[in-house]
Amino acid sequence: MSKIISVTGATGNVGSKVAEQLIAKGYQVRVIGRNQAKLERFVALGAEAFVGDLSNTAFLTKAFAGTDGVFMMLPADVTSTDVVAQLTSTVKSEVAAIRNSHVKQVVFLSTVGAALPEKGGVIQASQLAEKLLNELDGVNVVHLRPGYFMENFFGSIPLIKTANINGGPLLSDISISLVATQDVAVAAVKRFEAQSAPDKIVQYVLGERDLTLSEATVILGKSIDKPQLQYVPFSLEDAKNAFLSFGMSENFVDSYLENMKDINEDRVFKEYTRTSDNTTSTSIEQFVDTFAAVYNT
């Protein structure tokens, strides 16, 4: 019998790819999310859907029961008036359900920046999750810490179309690791394939190379016939006003921008050493075909 793997956040950028790859490899997959309709495409491929809230420990315990492994992630509610409390509740629920269900393998989608001491905001939840997972006895845990998702550039498309610039709260000249979510999913699936004894490790997933946002923007621009496209850094105040206009809560925006400030101070992407093991294959030059397709639709 194949392994049974539960995938939380199965409709997200990473979770969906993890589910698809596991199904393709013949695993029995349980996809977990809040929207039945969005899970149906996985059901059509043979997965079992569990619809509910990740902060509901009883629901998750049922979803994880009999599971060999769990892909764990923390979806933030961008409208929450206390996003840290929301994420903390989710962390505690997921870890409790893993313990209750006697799951033996967990791949946790953490983040670059989780190694920074005494952080607040959204990073705080990843730090708490790593801590609580490390306290589980007899469980093999891998904390994946990916870099900046290339798919985040999809959020720049409206700005590019209306103002002919790319921009955001990050500085233009800070080198950051840009990684395709597909490669993060590949790293997660490889961990499930491994026959590992109980252990607790951190694995960075850093993309093909580090780039500044100015360098990345030039490459993106060429793919959409805008070779002169430039990245313009916004002040944190201007960025905050923009995010608020999208319907995000002030609490979430402040938490998110705290992380952006750490990146701008060149602290976040200094916590790792790039190696052949944490360097993944997809380059931004390969990703731009996907970017251009999304841009043109």
Side-chain angles (χ1 to χ4, degrees):
M1 179 180 289
S2 63
K3 277 185 177 179
I4 303 174
I5 308 295
S6 291
V7 179
T8 65
T11 59
N13 268 330
V14 179
S16 62
K17 295 177 177 66
V18 171
E20 289 165 356
Q21 291 181 29
L22 288 170
I23 292 168
K25 289 178 176 290
Y27 287 86
Q28 297 181 59
V29 177
R30 297 177 182 176
V31 286
I32 301 170
R34 291 176 294 183
N35 187 311
Q36 177 73 40
K38 291 182 178 180
L39 295 174
E40 284 301 322
R41 67 185 180 100
F42 303 107
V43 174
L45 297 174
E48 185 178 7
F50 284 77
V51 180
D53 191 331
L54 294 182
S55 64
N56 184 329
T57 305
F59 158 71
L60 275 186
T61 298
K62 180 179 179 181
F64 293 167
T67 293
D68 298 294
V70 169
F71 176 75
M72 173 178 163
M73 55 89 67
L74 304 175
D77 179 358
V78 301
T79 65
S80 173
T81 57
D82 192 341
V83 69
V84 171
Q86 176 250 316
L87 289 171
T88 297
S89 175
T90 300
V91 168
K92 292 181 177 179
S93 174
E94 290 189 87
V95 173
I98 288 166
R99 182 187 296 109
N100 294 344
S101 304
H102 308 291
V103 173
K104 296 303 181 185
Q105 188 177 25
V106 177
V107 177
F108 169 53
L109 183 63
S110 186
T111 180
V112 166
L116 293 176
E118 299 179 359
K119 287 315 300 171
V122 292
I123 297 295
Q124 182 179 338
S126 290
Q127 292 176 326
L128 175 63
E130 290 194 11
K131 176 180 180 295
L132 294 182
L133 287 169
N134 285 344
E135 293 173 355
L136 294 174
D137 292 329
V139 184
N140 180 274
V141 179
V142 177
H143 306 296
L144 293 183
R145 293 183 183 171
Y148 188 88
F149 293 152
M150 293 181 187
E151 282 80 358
N152 289 341
F153 289 122
F154 293 155
S156 298
I157 289 175
L159 180 64
I160 295 172
K161 288 188 172 183
T162 57
N164 208 33
I165 60 169
N166 184 18
L170 294 177
L171 297 177
S172 60
D173 57 352
I174 298 293
S175 289
I176 61 178
S177 63
L178 297 174
V179 61
T181 56
Q182 176 73 13
D183 289 354
V184 180
V186 168
V189 171
K190 284 182 177 179
R191 286 296 178 178
F192 286 121
E193 291 179 307
Q195 301 297 322
S196 303
D199 198 4
K200 310 293 188 293
I201 67 170
V202 169
Q203 177 181 339
Y204 287 93
V205 191
L206 302 178
E208 184 260 349
R209 68 187 190 277
D210 291 0
L211 287 168
T212 68
L213 289 175
S214 287
E215 292 168 336
T217 296
V218 170
I219 298 168
L220 293 173
K222 289 178 180 177
S223 75
I224 54 173
D225 297 322
K226 292 181 179 291
Q228 304 305 315
L229 188 68
Q230 293 185 340
Y231 180 85
V232 178
F234 300 156
S235 70
L236 294 182
E237 181 180 357
D238 286 344
K240 179 175 180 176
N241 290 333
F243 290 140
L244 291 175
S245 72
F246 300 151
M248 299 177 182
S249 73
E250 184 170 13
N251 177 268
F252 173 82
V253 172
D254 287 342
S255 295
Y256 175 74
L257 290 179
E258 182 175 350
N259 187 35
M260 298 297 101
K261 184 173 181 289
D262 283 328
I263 294 175
N264 285 341
E265 293 173 355
D266 207 14
R267 301 175 63 211
V268 171
F269 291 93
K270 294 293 188 183
E271 74 179 38
Y272 59 78
T273 299
R274 181 179 283 277
T275 67
S276 58
D277 290 334
N278 58 35
T279 295
T280 52
S281 61
T282 304
S283 68
I284 192 167
E285 287 83 2
Q286 294 168 312
F287 169 76
V288 293
D289 290 339
T290 301
F291 178 80
V294 174
Y295 181 89
N296 289 321
T297 56

